[in-house]
Amino acid sequence: SSVPLFPPPPLPTPVPLCTAPHLMLRAATLRANTPHPRVLGSHAWVGHPQASHDRVGYGFTSAATAVAMLVPALAVRKRYHFQARVVQLCRLSLAGGRLRAQVRRFQGPVSAAADVEVDMELGLADAEAKLEKDLEAGELEAQDRLAQTMELLSEYSTEKHPGHQPGRFGGPGPEYDGMEYDPKTGRYRMAEVAGPGDGAEQSTALATLSEADRYLVTRFEHEGGLALALSNAFRMPDRLRGEAKKIIRRFDAERRATEEGRDPVEARYEGEDEEAPGMSEEEINAALIDILETAGLREAENLIRACSKGVEKALVMFQAADYAEEREAVMRNVWSDTEFNSGEEDNAELVTRLEMQFANQLVTTTEARLAAEAAAKRAAAATAEEEAAAGTAGGAAAETAALVEERAEGEEELWQPDAEWQEKEQAEGEERSKGDDAIFSVALRDCQNVGDLALKLSAGELDATLLEPRNLGVALDLVGVYLKNYEIDKADLVITRIVPLCRIRGGTWLCKGLDKLSAVRMKQFRAYDALAAMKEIEQLVPFKPPEGWEFHDILFRNQAWCYSSLDEAEKTLEYTRKSMEVKKASGIPASWFDIWDLGKAHARLGQKTDQVKEMKVAYDLILKSGEIHRECESHDRVMLAKICANVGEVAIGVGDFYHQNGNEDEAHFWYEKAEPSLREAYDLHVGALGPMKPLAGWAAGTVAHCLTRLEKYEEARDFLSMAWKVECTKDSTTPGSVIELLDRVVALQQQLEDLPGVSRYLDDMDMAIQGLKARNWDRKDRAVFALLLQRASTARLISDNGTGDAIPRVLQDLREAESHLVIHLGHEARSHRCQFCGSAYESEDDLEAHKERRHAGVLSAEGLEAVDVERKQFGPREDPEELLKSIRTSLRLLSITESVLRQGGGSGEGNQEPRFEELRPEEDIEDLGTASSRSSASGWGADPEEWETDDDGGAGEGFGALGAAFEVRRGMEPFCTRLRVEPTSSREEHVFMPDGVLHDGERVTLERLDNSGQFGHVSCRTCQGWVQLKYLIGFSGS
């Protein structure tokens, strides 16, 4: 629901470096060749927030040519507006002496954009008639959709959305005992307890807490107080187990006293703390009946009467305690329901405190389980020795030992996985280093004792600890905490570790694990995987919607969100209606949440089908949902911020419709309507979460879109700068989102005529690139990562104001981009691709090993097969081969420029004039390249075809001594050389370094030779490995 409904219009992409071979560009030329943002991209934008948009082609041969092509484009666009349709000119060409245009229409009932080539002189009337016919059909469909929606909304509630209260549908659990909730403010406070003195005293519950728990409860009283401390969770199971142990201990004491000739009644209570509070017989029986009946045992009361004494009663209590813990654990959402509205610093502290709570529970439960297992073994051994000494095989001692052993075996069966699963885990555990557990070592890395626990225990023992219901339930609850605070990396690590364990337990555990998995995948922009998890849940549910409307309401709503993120507008509306129909059939009226979801669905459909009336109705629906929300759930500031954001985004969409059709006054009116809502959304997000959270960054970027349309460029820059900083530092970013925002930054700086100002964004850009590498994006999607590096190179080049200081770093980035594209294109031809994450492998065996290692037990094949839409790729995309050609052209020209700068000496400090001059198109750049290269130290020409290699070794006299510097030169396609792991002529993939790619002209240091004299071990700034000596070329001074 945090994904903005209306996508920002694409702003022009900076001109690729040196797209025209006859230009040596200075910054002014780059600016002249980049179309004005009002000319291209911002007029007709239709698509998903992450979808790629068609743009008029770039790479104009000169600024004059660009203007000559754009003027007729604008004239054609202005002349041929067919009433309310949207026409985007994609390509202009001269053919047969007549101007022809390829147009793309986005309206009517047509689900996909249709390309038609229109003859401007002869075919225009027919095209107009067809568009008018489609438009009428689209209006009828929109009217039908709205009529169905209004029928569903014939009755609606102005109260809270069902389930939006502590404890959701089931109400507050026992964790909230001692706390009072204020529904107006959404805050908690400690319940006051009447005292003998002045009428009230602090709750006695605090007295039993540890110092750390007491701090947590009092510091964050408003967020839940006592409910946040795990010492207040699972109290009934612990009390029942304690009472059951008392019964067994008393039984054993009576037995021993009888054997020793003492009074068994007096011996019964020996060693017990008389002041320790216990449960009365009535309390125990009432608790047992309630638990067992809830678990489905209708004859619970009769069972309790039949087992009213002794060890039998204790065994029933143990079993009931297990049921109670299982139910409380799988239903637990205490931490996930916390609002986290206290600001960034307080929220971060609360997250840390909750992690410490979980860490302490992991340590405590592990120690208790291991101690119980050891005690059971000792007891069994002692009993066996006593029976052997007495020469008896029966009697009370044997009965007691059998009961203890049975209980120990029961615990073993409850907590431990089966033998087959243990064997599999042990095999996998050998590959996994100790302490490298996602939960123990990453999510809880700052918590004391838990790290030692991960090092001491085997993989199987760690799994046994996490399989305990209370630990599994709290781990899933912690995932919700990470999601609310946008710690997506932690959430991913924990849920990936936990879902396979949920599959072992099955049933409700698996449904809840898949639900959390879906939420995490949505935050990672992996809506297809999220939908697969939702579909599997739908298959697992054993009851129909009328038997559980609450569950299906949430299930259908979540599926609608998945379809929305996949830009399946029709499916989104379908499942939103399903959610409402389930409630309506059970007599539950629509709420503000339903009105909001329907408004969003209609807005997107209206935008895709070019129905502005439907978009306006959607605007009114979302506005109405916000009005109700302000009254009934005003404390939820984050949800209100999302509604306000959608109000503003729909207004922008309506304004863009009028702008596309030439009605600038109406467009400006709607843009002004959007601004207050978008500003309020930003302020609410910042106040609740902090300025550096992803929601705040997204809101800032949306405000910048609105301000750009209102031509308030200075303010837009401030908001866009904040959005850029958040995008570059958050852990859920992607290369595509960084590219899109970088394009907007450059375009806005261009509009402000301050391209050198792009330099202030470069540090954050470098941070984003490093963060993406740390998350393996450079390997998961090499083509898009290469595109990011190319865009980053463009930004660096235009920000240095023509001084040339950025060229060395630009060359480095472009060479890395070239490496990724070479590897990507090689893999595309011979790879097996994982359907879960898209990773490519050269053999099917490697792919299967990857899926077993990374995805086993997470998503099922059944869930993936149930997905009824295609997997989609959003974000900026370019043809890898064309991008590789462009990058290599840039590399050649910039290498020449770098050699010229080296020849001239110095970095140009103090030289205020740019070093790049625009040449006339008729001038041959080969003259400049040849002249400069002839005088360069390397002796290589600008044209790679002119490079020569020495068949006898190529290095000539240059190998005078080890430690000398050389240049790597292949002199032919692909103009790069891969380093090897060992000196061998083999071409098998495993002998090459994964990222050891050296480009022609890159300098290395020769460290040693192999025995054959054909290979040398070299090193450079980024890698090291073996290379054939014939590719090493000496240069002057080496």
Side-chain angles (χ1 to χ4, degrees):
S1 62
S2 63
V3 177
L5 177 66
F6 281 89
L11 293 176
T13 305
V15 177
L17 293 174
C18 304
T19 52
H22 60 276
L23 293 179
M24 293 294 285
L25 299 173
R26 63 174 178 253
T29 309
L30 283 170
R31 184 163 60 248
N33 274 297
T34 305
H36 190 286
R38 282 293 186 186
V39 174
L40 302 176
S42 62
H43 287 190
W45 53 273
V46 177
H48 188 265
Q50 302 174 43
S52 59
H53 304 276
D54 295 316
R55 298 182 175 89
V56 175
Y58 291 96
F60 304 124
T61 54
S62 70
T65 308
V67 173
M69 294 183 70
L70 288 172
V71 169
L74 290 175
V76 170
R77 177 184 298 223
K78 197 169 183 180
R79 179 179 176 186
Y80 297 111
H81 271 299
F82 307 139
Q83 294 184 9
R85 86 193 184 306
V86 180
V87 176
Q88 182 181 14
L89 295 175
C90 296
R91 188 178 301 109
L92 292 174
S93 63
L94 288 173
R98 292 198 299 266
L99 181 67
R100 303 171 66 86
Q102 183 180 19
V103 300
R104 171 163 292 186
R105 54 182 174 76
F106 297 90
Q107 76 287 322
V110 184
S111 58
D115 289 332
V116 292
E117 194 167 84
V118 179
D119 190 311
M120 288 296 180
E121 294 182 0
L122 302 177
L124 197 56
D126 293 337
E128 180 175 358
K130 188 175 188 311
L131 290 174
E132 289 291 350
K133 185 176 180 180
D134 288 344
L135 182 60
E136 292 177 2
E139 288 179 351
L140 292 175
E141 288 192 359
Q143 291 174 9
D144 183 59
R145 288 194 299 264
L146 290 172
Q148 294 180 49
T149 290
M150 291 310 167
E151 183 180 354
L152 284 172
L153 293 177
S154 58
E155 295 182 4
Y156 63 89
S157 169
T158 57
E159 303 296 325
K160 285 186 174 183
H161 180 71
H164 281 199
Q165 61 266 338
R168 304 189 183 182
F169 294 101
E175 305 94 342
Y176 291 92
D177 291 346
M179 300 300 299
E180 293 180 351
Y181 177 72
D182 185 350
K184 292 184 178 180
T185 63
R187 298 166 74 90
Y188 290 88
R189 62 175 178 269
M190 296 284 293
E192 294 184 350
V193 180
D198 54 4
E201 63 181 7
Q202 187 182 34
S203 172
T204 55
L206 289 176
T208 61
L209 299 178
S210 66
E211 183 178 352
D213 286 358
R214 194 177 300 116
Y215 177 85
L216 172 67
V217 169
T218 55
R219 174 73 174 80
F220 297 100
E221 177 183 354
H222 60 284
E223 295 281 15
L226 291 169
L228 301 176
L230 289 179
S231 57
N232 282 325
F234 310 106
R235 285 181 293 178
M236 181 55 71
D238 290 343
R239 293 180 70 188
L240 286 176
R241 291 191 183 106
E243 294 296 329
K245 291 177 182 177
K246 279 185 184 179
I247 293 175
I248 292 180
R249 187 166 55 248
R250 290 170 182 174
F251 180 85
D252 189 51
E254 290 177 359
R255 178 186 63 80
R256 292 182 182 277
T258 301
E259 293 175 355
E260 296 172 1
R262 295 185 294 114
D263 184 0
V265 177
E266 293 181 359
R268 185 177 187 181
Y269 299 100
E270 289 179 357
E272 290 189 10
D273 186 359
E274 296 181 358
E275 297 182 359
M279 298 177 68
S280 66
E281 192 72 16
E282 291 76 12
E283 290 177 323
I284 293 175
N285 290 340
L288 291 177
I289 293 172
D290 178 63
I291 293 169
L292 296 177
E293 286 183 346
T294 303
L297 185 61
R298 297 180 180 179
E299 301 296 326
E301 188 171 355
N302 294 332
L303 175 65
I304 299 304
R305 290 174 181 172
C307 303
S308 58
K309 295 182 180 180
V311 177
E312 291 180 350
K313 179 74 169 287
L315 291 177
V316 173
M317 293 168 67
F318 276 126
Q319 190 65 54
D322 292 343
Y323 287 149
E325 178 170 327
E326 184 98 8
R327 185 177 188 278
E328 183 177 343
V330 77
M331 299 291 290
R332 180 181 172 83
N333 284 299
V334 176
W335 291 353
S336 300
D337 288 343
T338 302
E339 294 291 349
F340 292 99
N341 278 338
S342 302
E344 190 167 4
E345 291 186 5
D346 286 354
N347 290 345
E349 181 185 355
L350 179 54
V351 172
T352 301
R353 292 282 172 179
L354 297 181
E355 287 179 332
M356 292 170 61
Q357 289 281 314
F358 186 34
N360 291 332
Q361 177 175 286
L362 288 172
V363 173
T364 302
T365 53
T366 302
E367 292 175 348
R369 180 173 56 82
L370 297 177
E373 291 176 0
K377 292 179 181 178
R378 288 195 303 268
T383 303
E385 291 178 2
E386 290 177 3
E387 291 177 349
T392 61
E399 181 182 354
T400 302
L403 289 172
V404 173
E405 184 175 357
E406 181 181 351
R407 176 59 193 156
E409 290 176 355
E411 287 187 342
E412 185 80 15
E413 182 180 352
L414 179 63
W415 307 127
Q416 300 289 349
D418 57 35
E420 181 182 353
W421 190 85
Q422 278 186 323
E423 183 178 349
K424 175 185 172 184
E425 280 296 298
Q426 184 176 0
E428 293 182 357
E430 292 176 357
E431 301 177 5
R432 189 171 65 204
S433 62
K434 272 196 166 185
D436 190 24
D437 189 282
I439 292 180
F440 292 87
S441 300
V442 181
L444 306 176
R445 62 181 178 272
D446 297 327
C447 302
Q448 298 178 350
N449 300 330
V450 77
D452 295 336
L453 187 70
L455 292 172
K456 292 177 182 178
L457 300 182
S458 65
E461 289 172 327
L462 292 176
D463 290 327
T465 295
L466 293 174
L467 271 169
E468 294 193 35
R470 65 178 62 194
N471 290 335
L472 200 57
V474 174
L476 290 170
D477 204 9
L478 188 61
V479 172
V481 172
Y482 289 144
L483 288 175
K484 279 198 170 182
N485 288 273
Y486 278 84
E487 297 192 26
I488 308 303
D489 284 350
K490 283 187 176 182
D492 178 49
L493 289 166
V494 174
I495 198 62
T496 305
R497 179 72 169 89
I498 288 297
V499 168
L501 303 181
C502 292
R503 289 194 180 278
I504 295 171
R505 287 198 166 272
T508 309
W509 282 109
L510 180 54
C511 287
K512 185 167 184 179
L514 290 171
D515 179 66
K516 294 290 187 182
L517 175 66
S518 176
V520 174
R521 294 296 178 256
M522 286 291 286
K523 296 293 186 182
Q524 295 175 313
F525 306 104
R526 295 167 59 180
Y528 188 90
D529 293 342
L531 184 58
M534 287 287 107
K535 291 294 185 182
E536 185 177 357
I537 293 175
E538 193 172 13
Q539 296 171 347
L540 292 171
V541 179
F543 50 85
K544 302 293 183 182
E547 299 169 354
W549 68 265
E550 302 95 332
F551 182 90
H552 285 85
D553 170 36
I554 297 174
L555 176 63
F556 291 146
R557 190 186 306 280
N558 287 341
Q559 287 181 324
W561 284 339
C562 292
Y563 283 119
S564 175
S565 294
L566 290 168
D567 201 26
E568 295 287 340
E570 293 82 3
K571 286 283 187 182
T572 302
L573 182 59
E574 174 189 345
Y575 276 83
T576 301
R577 286 175 176 163
K578 278 187 176 183
S579 173
M580 291 188 62
E581 289 165 355
V582 165
K583 292 199 292 292
K584 189 173 183 179
S586 300
I588 308 298
S591 70
W592 64 264
F593 215 138
D594 301 304
I595 299 172
W596 181 31
D597 283 346
L598 285 171
K600 290 186 293 181
H602 280 292
R604 185 69 185 114
L605 273 168
Q607 185 195 25
K608 291 187 73 172
T609 58
D610 197 24
Q611 299 298 320
V612 71
K613 292 181 180 178
E614 186 174 12
M615 294 168 66
K616 288 182 177 179
V617 172
Y619 175 86
D620 292 336
L621 289 174
I622 299 174
L623 198 62
K624 181 65 176 179
S625 71
E627 293 173 359
I628 299 174
H629 182 277
R630 288 179 191 273
E631 295 296 324
C632 63
E633 297 186 37
S634 58
H635 61 274
D636 192 348
R637 293 182 289 166
V638 173
M639 191 67 75
L640 179 59
K642 294 176 181 179
I643 298 174
C644 291
N646 285 153
V647 170
E649 288 156 2
V650 176
I652 288 179
V654 175
D656 284 344
F657 172 86
Y658 287 114
H659 178 70
Q660 293 159 2
N661 289 275
N663 191 340
E664 295 297 337
D665 292 339
E666 193 69 14
H668 194 270
F669 169 77
W670 280 95
Y671 293 152
E672 288 186 329
K673 288 186 71 171
E675 184 180 357
S677 295
L678 295 176
R679 286 183 180 271
E680 182 182 4
Y682 176 74
D683 292 339
L684 286 168
H685 279 311
V686 171
L689 304 173
M692 293 303 294
K693 288 300 180 181
L695 283 177
W698 186 267
T702 312
V703 175
H705 275 303
C706 183
L707 295 175
T708 300
R709 285 165 169 80
L710 291 171
E711 299 184 357
K712 300 178 181 179
Y713 298 118
E714 294 289 344
E715 284 188 88
R717 178 172 58 185
D718 296 337
F719 280 97
L720 193 58
S721 297
M722 181 56 68
W724 173 252
K725 183 170 286 292
V726 173
E727 190 68 40
C728 292
T729 55
K730 70 181 186 182
D731 61 4
S732 59
T733 191
T734 63
S737 60
V738 176
I739 291 172
E740 290 175 341
L741 205 54
L742 180 58
D743 288 349
R744 290 177 58 192
V745 165
V746 173
L748 186 58
Q749 290 296 130
Q750 171 191 338
Q751 179 64 43
L752 293 168
E753 299 186 354
D754 182 24
L755 281 176
V758 173
S759 60
R760 70 172 64 97
Y761 300 96
L762 298 184
D763 289 342
D764 289 329
M765 182 180 72
D766 291 338
M767 186 185 305
I769 292 174
Q770 291 304 316
L772 291 168
K773 287 182 177 180
R775 297 176 185 88
N776 293 322
W777 274 104
D778 55 334
R779 298 188 181 186
K780 285 192 290 188
D781 200 337
R782 293 182 183 273
V784 176
F785 193 79
L787 181 60
L788 171 60
L789 292 174
Q790 192 256 7
R791 289 285 208 279
S793 301
T794 303
R796 294 185 201 281
L797 195 63
I798 64 177
S799 67
D800 78 346
N801 203 25
T803 64
D805 293 338
I807 288 181
R809 178 60 189 272
V810 168
L811 285 171
Q812 178 183 334
D813 288 347
L814 290 178
R815 285 166 181 158
E816 183 180 353
E818 182 188 25
S819 302
H820 287 301
L821 289 171
V822 168
I823 297 172
H824 169 78
L825 291 171
H827 282 180
E828 285 291 305
R830 60 180 189 278
S831 68
H832 299 266
R833 191 164 294 278
C834 175
Q835 72 267 35
F836 297 107
C837 65
S839 300
Y841 291 86
E842 292 196 353
S843 70
E844 189 170 353
D845 291 341
D846 290 341
L847 174 60
E848 291 301 321
H850 157 77
K851 289 195 291 187
E852 180 68 21
R853 181 176 62 253
R854 185 69 178 85
H855 302 294
V858 182
L859 283 177
S860 69
E862 293 79 7
L864 288 169
E865 291 173 359
V867 178
D868 51 2
V869 295
E870 295 295 327
R871 188 184 289 271
K872 298 181 179 180
Q873 286 186 326
F874 296 115
R877 295 270 168 180
E878 289 193 13
D879 179 76
E881 294 184 354
E882 293 299 321
L883 180 61
L884 182 59
K885 291 179 182 178
S886 173
I887 287 175
R888 283 177 169 166
T889 300
S890 300
L891 278 171
R892 295 173 191 173
L893 295 176
L894 288 173
S895 296
I896 295 171
T897 305
E898 185 185 37
S899 66
V900 171
L901 292 176
R902 284 206 308 264
Q903 180 184 5
S907 62
E909 294 182 3
N911 185 1
Q912 300 300 321
E913 293 298 323
R915 292 186 180 159
F916 302 101
E917 297 297 334
E918 181 178 5
L919 301 180
R920 293 185 300 276
E922 58 270 16
E923 290 189 41
D924 189 359
I925 195 170
E926 201 63 44
D927 296 339
L928 175 62
T930 305
S932 62
S933 60
R934 292 292 179 262
S935 60
S936 66
S938 64
W940 291 94
D943 187 352
E945 297 297 332
E946 299 177 2
W947 294 345
E948 299 178 358
T949 56
D950 185 353
D951 292 336
D952 296 330
E957 301 297 328
F959 294 106
L962 298 180
F966 296 87
E967 287 186 357
V968 177
R969 291 287 184 187
R970 178 176 290 269
M972 63 187 73
E973 292 284 354
F975 301 105
C976 60
T977 303
R978 297 180 65 183
L979 296 180
R980 300 168 185 261
V981 177
E982 56 187 17
T984 174
S985 299
S986 171
R987 300 292 301 171
E988 295 182 15
E989 184 66 24
H990 70 272
V991 305
F992 293 100
M993 302 289 293
D995 294 318
V997 179
L998 298 177
H999 304 270
D1000 279 9
E1002 196 162 345
R1003 295 188 181 186
V1004 297
T1005 300
L1006 179 64
E1007 296 178 340
R1008 61 183 184 275
L1009 305 177
D1010 76 323
N1011 294 332
S1012 69
Q1014 297 180 357
F1015 290 88
H1017 191 275
V1018 299
S1019 64
C1020 62
R1021 291 177 296 175
T1022 58
C1023 56
Q1024 59 180 353
W1026 293 91
V1027 65
Q1028 296 185 58
L1029 294 179
K1030 66 180 181 180
Y1031 297 131
L1032 297 185
I1033 307 299
F1035 57 91
S1036 176
S1038 69

